[in-house]
Every structure is written in C-alpha cells, then in structure tokens.
Amino acid sequence: MEAKVLAVQKEGLNRGAWTAGEDKILIDYIKTHGEGKWRNLPKKAGLKRCGKSCRLRWLNYLRPDIKRGNISHDEEELIIRLHRLLGNRWSLIAGRLPGRTDNEIKNYWNTNIGKKLQQKQQQYPSSSSRKPAYQCPENPKFAVKKPVSQPGKTARESYPIRTKATKCTKVFVTNPEAPKFVQVVQKKQMMMETSMANRSDDQNVNKETSESLPEFNLEENDPSDFMIDFEMDEHFLSFLNTDFAELPNFEDTSGGGDRRSTRNTNSEEINLLISEDKQKLREMDFPTMDSIIGSEFEWFN
DNA sequence: AACAAAGCCAACCGCTCGGTA
DNA sequence: ATACCGAGCGGTTGGCTTTGT
C-alpha cells in the first residue's frame, strides 16, 4: 500500500473522486478531439489522471447520452432475463438497456437484484433443484459472489450507450436431443437444395438422407430446449423479443411466408417432409421466447 | 442529536482480447 | 509465430450517504 502511494506520488497522478474542473477539462477535450487514444489523452488534455481513469469517467459518468435516475421495474425484469442468459456480462446487458452503463447495471445487480434472489433462495432452500438465477449455468465462474443489497429505485429515461462486448460469443442449450433435431431440419433443408439443383435425383436423395438422419422424437423431448449454438450478437439479442408464433415457419403451410414450401412445389416427397416438420412444430405449441425465459423466474416476484 | 451500521456507487485493479509490427 | 500495446471487461474497494437506534 505504501509502495502504491509512493508510485502514485512519483507519477504525480490524482486519484479518487473527480473534481468539476477535471470533468470540464475531459469533456472539452473529447468534444474537440473525440474519444479514444486514452493513454495519451491525459497528457494532451493536461489532466493528472491515467488514461484508464479518464476513459472510465467518460463512459460511466460524463457522456452526454447517459441519463441518470432509478431503474424501472421493466428494466429490472430485462436485467434479470439477460443475466439468466448471459451471466455477468454487464456490458452486454447494459447494451440492451437504454442509457445504462455496465458499471451501473453491475452495481444495481449487486445491491438490489442479487439480494432479492438470495433472500428468495433462503426462503426456499435447496428443496428445488433449480440453479440460482444469478448464476450462469454454463459457466459458474460468473456466479455472483457477494450479493448484497437493498430495495429499489425507479425509472429513468434513456437510450443505448454501448453494446460492445467480445468475450461471450455463443450460447448453448443443454438438451442432448436438440442437436439431433437441428440436424434433422438442416439435413432436410440441404436435401431440398440438392433436389432443386438436380430434380432427377430426388428419390436417391430422400433415401440417402432418411438413412443418415439421427432419430429424434419431438413428443419425448422438451421443445423449449430447441435453441442451440447461437452466435451471441445483436441478432441473438433481438431474438429475445421474438414471438415465434408470428414467424412464417410457424404459420400454416398455405401461407406465402415459407420459401421452402413455395419454391419447390414439384417435389411431393420433400414437401411432405417439410409439412411434417411444420406439423410437429405446430403441435409443440411453441412458446414465445418471453415465456421460455420467464419460466425461469416464475418463482421470483 | 449523536453514533453505528448498512447501503450505494464511483473509481480502481488486474486480467484478457484483438490488432499490429 | 509471437511479442507488444491499447482498449475493454468484470471484480473489488473504499468513501460518502442514508437509515436505524
């Protein structure tokens, strides 16, 4: 500690809370020169801070698009859902919450939500086999270590601050049957493409494909574990808000929304296979993503 | 009113990642 | 292939504020 203090004194850097004057210098500099080059910024701007400190101050506090205020109930729900899927990837979570920073979300989780979940756990001790919602099931490393906390705050206005987060790239779903189902669908799709290219081979393709397909029984497997190996990008996150009942593939085959069935009308066998897929999907009574995620939190209220 | 405990959150720290030479 | 560097991320700390006694 003493050595640390000496080192700081040696470099002549300020530490601790930022003053209004420092804030103004930083804001003015970034207004003129833009963000980035944080390492050189303090020297050029005349600040006695390290680049890291400047970056943090700007991103978490000084940026003009940050609107401060309490987190609304809706925002809290979204945080919980996203955390269930992403673990402690605060920057990713913050990217989906308008006007919020990762640091703010992290603090809010540790002081509010984490505590609520902990209390809930104590209320219903291990009688349930369900994992704690604040723990990332695929990576326990991201479990919340010290949920402390306190009751709430309320709404603020907002818009997105930043979305970049590179460490988590994929999400996996654990149902061992899910890959089989995906294989079946993909194989049939491939078969259709091949058939389009060379229609005379339809029968051979059908035979070959059906022989190599893994068996998958939808009736015996939980359809909610259908999702697998998605790229963890903006498209995936948008997926969270998808209502699957509205997607073309889940509509009646007579509709115009399904390219697979409309562009290959000469192959009865393939159409039959596709319509079987669709029938199975319809029979699933496929839930919305909201209810899939929501079911994980039904006990949390 | 005074003190202690608990809570909040800005800031710091160490590690990792991605780009580049 | 690898070493270096800048930037970003999540975990943790500590000082200030709020609440309870």
Side-chain angles (χ1 to χ4, degrees):
Chain A
M1 184 63 184
E2 202 171 305
K4 211 182 261 183
V5 171
L6 285 174
V8 168
Q9 286 174 342
K10 193 176 180 181
E11 295 178 26
L13 296 177
N14 292 342
R15 292 172 59 86
W18 280 62
T19 64
E22 287 177 314
D23 283 349
K24 188 175 185 308
I25 292 171
L26 182 57
I27 290 168
D28 289 346
Y29 183 87
I30 291 175
K31 271 182 185 172
T32 309
H33 300 90
E35 293 181 46
K37 314 261 183 181
W38 297 108
R39 193 181 176 87
N40 299 328
L41 187 151
K43 209 171 188 178
K44 292 182 177 175
L47 282 166
K48 291 180 177 179
R49 295 273 178 175
C50 67
K52 260 186 166 185
S53 184
C54 293
R55 175 185 161 271
L56 205 65
R57 182 66 178 170
W58 174 254
L59 291 176
N60 287 341
Y61 199 82
L62 298 176
R63 284 178 62 144
D65 49 358
I66 291 177
K67 295 198 175 179
R68 321 198 70 76
N70 294 330
I71 288 181
S72 68
H73 179 68
D74 286 349
E75 284 177 311
E76 183 177 305
E77 279 191 346
L78 185 55
I79 291 170
I80 292 168
R81 291 178 184 183
L82 290 168
H83 188 272
R84 177 69 179 85
L85 281 155
L86 305 174
N88 294 3
R89 278 75 148 200
W90 305 116
S91 63
L92 264 177
I93 294 171
R96 306 305 295 180
L97 282 150
R100 306 297 180 186
T101 67
D102 53 356
N103 207 34
E104 186 178 17
I105 301 293
K106 181 172 59 179
N107 283 335
Y108 186 76
W109 180 272
N110 288 336
T111 57
N112 293 276
I113 304 172
K115 176 69 170 295
K116 284 184 190 173
L117 293 174
Q118 193 185 41
Q119 285 172 348
K120 202 76 189 183
Q121 255 203 321
Q122 285 168 354
Q123 198 176 340
Y124 304 103
S126 61
S127 58
S128 165
S129 60
R130 194 193 299 277
K131 288 179 178 141
Y134 54 84
Q135 189 173 43
C136 177
E138 279 73 44
N139 193 346
K141 175 188 170 187
F142 293 109
V144 169
K145 286 179 184 171
K146 58 160 195 178
V148 279
S149 75
Q150 131 119 355
K153 302 189 155 187
T154 41
R156 304 176 189 178
E157 315 104 340
S158 43
Y159 34 95
I161 291 178
R162 57 197 165 114
T163 58
K164 183 172 180 179
T166 55
K167 287 181 182 175
C168 179
T169 59
K170 293 186 177 184
V171 60
F172 296 92
V173 175
T174 51
N175 186 335
E177 297 300 315
K180 289 185 187 175
F181 179 72
V182 172
Q183 271 188 57
V184 169
V185 173
Q186 287 177 340
K187 199 98 186 188
K188 286 180 180 176
Q189 201 166 0
M190 196 176 71
M191 184 175 76
M192 183 195 70
E193 303 288 349
T194 308
S195 167
M196 284 184 67
N198 186 2
R199 288 179 182 172
S200 64
D201 284 347
D202 272 10
Q203 284 187 335
N204 291 337
V205 171
N206 277 342
K207 186 166 181 289
E208 182 195 344
T209 306
S210 60
E211 281 171 359
S212 59
L213 287 177
E215 288 192 14
F216 181 84
N217 188 344
L218 279 171
E219 284 71 25
E220 293 174 5
N221 293 284
D222 179 8
S224 69
D225 278 355
F226 168 69
M227 181 174 66
I228 183 166
D229 199 14
F230 280 92
E231 289 295 330
M232 184 69 80
D233 58 7
E234 288 296 313
H235 302 298
F236 167 73
L237 289 165
S238 299
F239 179 76
L240 296 179
N241 294 324
T242 301
D243 182 347
F244 284 81
E246 292 178 359
L247 293 179
N249 273 356
F250 296 90
E251 296 296 334
D252 191 274
T253 52
S254 61
D258 187 349
R259 280 190 276 158
R260 289 197 304 179
S261 58
T262 55
R263 73 182 189 186
N264 199 35
T265 51
N266 290 337
S267 173
E268 288 181 12
E269 292 87 352
I270 291 173
N271 278 337
L272 181 63
L273 286 170
I274 292 167
S275 65
E276 282 172 1
D277 279 353
K278 289 187 169 186
Q279 184 59 36
K280 284 178 178 176
L281 289 170
R282 278 196 299 275
E283 286 167 2
M284 284 176 179
D285 187 23
F286 206 95
T288 64
M289 201 62 201
D290 185 74
S291 61
I292 293 171
I293 301 165
S295 65
E296 297 296 319
F297 293 95
E298 63 203 10
W299 54 278
F300 174 67
N301 262 318

